[in-house]
Amino acid sequence: MMLIKMTLWGLVQHPRRTALILFSVAISVFFMEIFAGMGQGIRTNFFQNILAEGGHGQIRGAGWQDQYDPRSLGSALTQTTDLVDLLRSQPELAYAEPLLEYGSVFITPENYTIVLNTIGVQADTRVFPKVTSGMVSGSFLPTANDHGGSGNAGPGNTSDQAVISRALGDFLNLEVGDLIRLITEDFRGAPRSRTFTIGGMFSTDSREFDTSTVFVPLEAARTMVRIPNGATQIRFTLTDRGLAPGFTEHLAAQVQQHDGSIHHWRDLNEGMLMLVDMTDVFIWVFNLIMMIVAATVITNAILMNVFDRMGEFGTLRAIGMRKAKVFGMVLLEGSFLGVLGSLLGVAIGIPVILYFQEHGLDFGEVSESLGMGSMFNFGFSPARSLADFVAGSLTALLGSLYAGILVFRTSIVDALKD
Amino acid sequence: MLDVQNVSKNYTLGKTLIPALRGVSFTLEQGQFVSIMGPSGCGKTTLLNILGCIDQPSDGRVLFRGTDIRNLTDNQRTDTRLDQIGFIFQSFNLVPVLTAAENIELPLVLAKVPKQQRKARVQELVELVGLGDFVKHKPDELSGGQRQRVAIARALVNRPTLIIADEPTANLDSETGEAILQAMARLNRQEGVSFIFSTHNPDILQYATRHIRLKDGLVVEDQLVDQVADSLASQSSSQSIDQNPQGSTP
Ligand SMILES: Nc1ncnc2c1ncn2[C@@H]1O[C@H](COP(=O)(O)OP(=O)(O)OP(=O)(O)O)[C@@H](O)[C@H]1O
Ligand SMILES: [Mg+2]
């Protein structure tokens, strides 16, 4: 009882020493927490942003990957309905949707022109959640029941709607309701022009995407480029993304019969995945270095404390305290500080992670250029926090083990000299 | 009770061998009050450390109540110190976070004495060394003399047969130093504890019943003091032990 009191009282009596050790443990655990949170966030971000938009897999035109211009319509799918039906007949499929993507010249009433990536989509698309949930004025493309449908109206009718971003609208001085014209080449290279009404404006967290994209109804796009039943890709999601490789392998031959090629997300995002894996390795290495630095700092602080009290330990041993007991005191103190410091580190770390999980951290262009959007959310994982807590406590324990061995090895005579 | 047989101790500093003790022999009887004198570096501390079982001789034997301390394990030596030997240090060496009473109690805790008995024994010693109301104070709230009284009480608390004091008065003014020696002398008579202390101060030699003089690691003089000096010591000790020496009053 008195020994425990001696140990803990000592901590109170020497607040600066105690604070130093607590601080070094807490700060180390805190940084391990934060970096783990960042790593978790990168992963989550990848699967949320990239996979939500890119799907678990895609069907593209055969030979798409060898094409010089990725937006060329030369390898567009022409048997889209058959392919979508094929996908939908599979039990693993959750959702499939065709897109028709091509470049076109965008002309405003004031005759500003700009080249945009034109995406023909179904009005009820699920591929662009950031867009459909990010409408800031007007609405996304009208579904068939909202309007009379596109293209059915007589000539000169402006019922075909287009959706652009607020940023582009501001830049080109456009408002909802304005008429614009899109000019493109059809699949044979002949120029085609079509008029659209701005039906709505959106805003996502990626400025690059916002200022380079215009959405039009899928049917209008097909009419423009004169590929009925066409698509440049069919994106699909499965009940579980882990099924994707088997799924694509299973369907490869059948898709080929319809002049298509099927790819899963690992294939499609090879570069990104490598980056994510590299980030993981980076964080792992960083945490390792962090641990080593932390262990050094913590051990140092504990050693300082122990050297400071060497005379006291010498006295205790001289008056009859057994070596093992002195060792135990050093260990008790170290592990107490380790547990307390680690708790403190985790306690400070968690709110910070939760804050950045909620509000995100603006990484600006860096992550935007990777297609992740500039806002970057941390990920909180209780298991990670527990691991960091244990790591911090263990480090302090190891440090005090080392200090305890030093005390153990010092002769009483030498200890008493201090 | 303590048999020192041809003890020598060498220290190595780099490659040079420093002989601190070069064959010291004497026998200590129960109840003796021994002073060890000698110039600085003559080996007083070295000898006391060996006698107190906190250091080992390079050569020769020390028999503590018939047992060669070299043959004991570290834990056995530790237990011997706890049960049989008390230490009084030059710089008091109290545990700073414990109160005076707790410092005195500490060896009892280590010896696993039940709490009730501990309290009674601590109270006994507080009265014996004349510590009064200072038992609740931490060491840094006590004067040097008071601290050394706490140290004496701590050394005595487990009823040791031998108390070893290496320059117990060196950090005290001469008046307080004498009061401490008087207290030690009285306890030596009352409790029959053997004391062995080293000092540079000839003034406090009068309290000892036996003088050992060391020089260059050898005993050069060893004499029992006659009864006159002994009674002189007892007289002055009974006078001043109960009045607080200067520096101890709050
Ligand atoms: N750890 C050590 N390493 C090397 N030499 C030592 C060590 N301890 C003591 N000595 C040497 O041994 C000799 C005796 O030292 P010791 O401390 O016993 O002397 P002392 O009589 O107590 O001196 P003082 O009166 O100054 O306290 C000295 O020459 C000293 O330098
Ligand atoms: Mg000395």
Side-chain angles (χ1 to χ4, degrees), chain A residues 414 417, chain B residues 11-13 18 20 39-46 167 200:
Chain A
D414 287 338
K417 277 190 192 140
Chain B
Y11 290 108
T12 43
L13 247 182
I18 302 173
S40 190
C42 68
K44 301 182 295 291
T45 300
T46 306
E167 306 197 34
H200 280 289

Side-chain angles (χ1 to χ4, degrees), chain A residues 2-3 5-6 9-10 13-14 311-312 315-325 412-413 416, chain B residues 49 54-55 74-75 78-79 81-82 87 89 93 95-98 102 105-106 109-110 112 138 154:
Chain A
M2 203 176 205
L3 299 184
K5 186 187 162 188
M6 261 169 77
W9 221 169
Q13 293 284 299
H14 304 282
E312 198 178 318
T315 307
L316 289 175
R317 282 178 60 194
I319 67 170
M321 185 182 282
R322 287 190 175 192
K323 257 183 171 184
K325 211 160 227 172
I412 304 177
V413 175
L416 278 174
Chain B
N49 284 345
I54 60 176
D55 206 357
D74 188 77
N75 277 345
T78 304
D79 293 346
R81 288 197 299 272
L82 179 61
F87 285 92
F89 301 93
N93 292 23
V95 180
V97 298
L98 300 181
E102 286 167 336
E105 192 185 349
L106 188 55
V109 175
L110 293 176
K112 301 194 170 69
K138 296 268 172 59
R154 182 179 66 183

Side-chain angles (χ1 to χ4, degrees), chain B residues 88-152:
Chain B
I88 298 169
F89 301 93
Q90 177 180 334
S91 38
F92 324 128
N93 292 23
L94 301 176
V95 180
V97 298
L98 300 181
T99 65
E102 286 167 336
N103 265 287
I104 300 172
E105 192 185 349
L106 188 55
L108 293 169
V109 175
L110 293 176
K112 301 194 170 69
V113 174
K115 187 166 187 158
Q116 211 84 94
Q117 290 174 41
R118 291 205 308 256
K119 296 294 169 208
R121 179 71 179 147
V122 169
Q123 190 50 40
E124 224 174 282
L125 278 160
V126 165
E127 281 162 24
L128 205 61
V129 298
L131 205 58
D133 294 333
F134 292 95
V135 289
K136 290 243 159 19
H137 289 241
K138 296 268 172 59
D140 59 4
E141 299 159 357
L142 298 173
S143 71
Q146 287 168 331
R147 286 188 222 182
Q148 203 57 305
R149 279 161 197 272
V150 174
I152 293 173

Side-chain angles (χ1 to χ4, degrees), chain B residues 51-71:
Chain B
L51 298 185
C53 293
I54 60 176
D55 206 357
Q56 303 263 48
S58 309
D59 208 359
R61 296 202 301 171
V62 176
L63 301 183
F64 189 87
R65 301 184 124 196
T67 318
D68 189 341
I69 58 170
R70 245 189 341 199
N71 296 337

Side-chain angles (χ1 to χ4, degrees), chain A residues 164-185:
Chain A
I164 60 169
S165 72
R166 176 89 259 173
L168 202 59
D170 288 347
F171 180 57
L172 297 174
N173 200 18
L174 291 170
E175 279 303 331
V176 170
D178 284 350
L179 287 180
I180 54 101
R181 178 168 288 276
L182 286 178
I183 299 173
T184 189
E185 290 177 347

